Amino acid sequence: MKSDKHEKRRKKRTATIVTHAGREPFEHFGFINPPIYRGSTVLFPTVADLEGLRQPYTYGTKGTPTTRALEKAWSEIAGADDAVIVPSGLAAIALALLTATKAGAHLLVTDSAYGPTRFFCDGLLARFGVTTQYYDPGIGAGVSALIRPETTAILLESPGSQSMEVQDVPAIATAAREKGVCVILDNTWATPLFFPPHERGADLAIEAGTKYLSGHADLLLGLVSANARWAKRLRHTFNLFAIGAGPDDASLALRGLRTMALRLREQERAALAIAQWLAARPEVARVLHPALPDHPGHHIWKRDYLGSSGVFSIILKPAPKEAAEAFVDGLELFGIGYSWGGYESLVLPFDCAPYRTATKWLPEGPALRFSIGLEDVADLKEDLEAGFERLRRKS
Ligand SMILES: *Cc1c(COP(=O)(O)O)cnc(C)c1O
């Protein structure tokens, strides 16, 4: 990869793109990775240069060669016109929503959204006169009937956080576009590698880089990418906030990026093996994994997605709370904790019922979300097997 012109000659495949995107070695004496530029002030040689802002970098809040390298790489991977990076996934959600709304506006947000997305809408946007209405994630083209003259954006998250409903992104995007409404997609689960967000109709796509881009549970980062219609507005809003991520975090993310396709494929394979194994267990009522044929959103997943990532949920058959807790507490290889997408496996008990408003969450038993890491599948199964033993003893 020597220049942009050279890059554009042939369309590359995903694994090649994540390996090469955003790298300009000969701008850095041939070193393969962009160095970490730490800086606030950028000097201008003359007043004329300052007044004309005649250089690519003008002040630290607007970015550095390190952060720009990640933005360029992500933009290419997402099939976007531009991308910005911010200090967390939640900051990316906030920035996308603020890019596409204004006082007096109406927002449509999926009932299956990441909890803190709701808290941002209800706790902060409401204070600025923005009304949020939650909709059934399975609504599809029916969302059209909910769009009002003052609706500025529809937020989707597919699959939904914890509950794993797959949304019909193209159908919702088509309905939104007809009415000039911005389509915002939280694409953290699939990443652009398994769901090209803009190609499928998203105007703004959010990624919690904290998860698969980092891949090592050592980084908080968010990304927002935009298509041609929304790129300028996104960059403008981003600059007004001065909410850019730092160069050290961008550098860590670039490091994660280079192995992301490889990790995702492996975590997909392992998660699918474990999901299938769990589906056959007598203690499990349902496995919520979009790539399993009995998942209610499987047909949409099969039509629109290129892969299935390492995160899924299960519903246990009715069991006392202490039995489900004994199952989880004794696991040796699965950590109990928030976040996911790292190299280590995690498990999290969850309950969507308290905050759902447009739909009801009525599982038949205790619900658990898994994030499958890079451990050997056989060891993970043995760990879970011992967990089921504890569950049975306490039931
Ligand atoms: C984790 C997560 C976020 C937030 O990312 P943070 O970096 O933890 O703020 C947003 N959306 C989804 C779907 C997530 O899982």
Side-chain angles (χ1 to χ4, degrees), residues 88-91 93 114 157 161 186 188 208 210-211 220-221 339-340:
S88 72
L90 186 54
I93 292 165
Y114 177 62
E157 184 181 326
S161 267
D186 187 332
T188 299
T210 306
K211 311 287 167 59
L220 286 159
L221 198 83
S339 200
W340 41 267

Side-chain angles (χ1 to χ4, degrees), residues 105-109 118 120-122 125-126 130-134:
H106 172 247
L107 277 181
L108 287 164
V109 172
R118 302 178 82 104
F120 182 78
C121 293
D122 300 340
L125 291 180
V130 176
T131 309
T132 302
Q133 180 183 350
Y134 295 94

Side-chain angles (χ1 to χ4, degrees), residues 23-44:
R23 293 209 276 110
E24 296 291 350
F26 296 101
E27 287 183 10
H28 308 291
F29 306 100
F31 284 96
I32 287 167
N33 294 297
I36 297 171
Y37 283 82
R38 294 198 185 98
S40 49
T41 300
V42 181
L43 299 180
F44 299 84

Side-chain angles (χ1 to χ4, degrees), residues 258-280:
R258 305 309 175 197
T259 56
M260 186 175 159
L262 196 62
R263 285 184 281 106
L264 263 177
R265 278 291 170 211
E266 172 59 18
Q267 281 166 300
E268 171 187 40
R269 184 195 65 78
L272 205 48
I274 290 175
Q276 280 158 347
W277 180 81
L278 285 167

Side-chain angles (χ1 to χ4, degrees), residues 164 189 268 271-272 275 287-292 295 308-309 311-313:
M164 305 299 293
W189 180 84
E268 171 187 40
L272 205 48
V287 176
L288 307 177
H289 189 307
L292 295 190
H295 188 276
S308 67
S309 137
V311 175
F312 66 90
S313 298

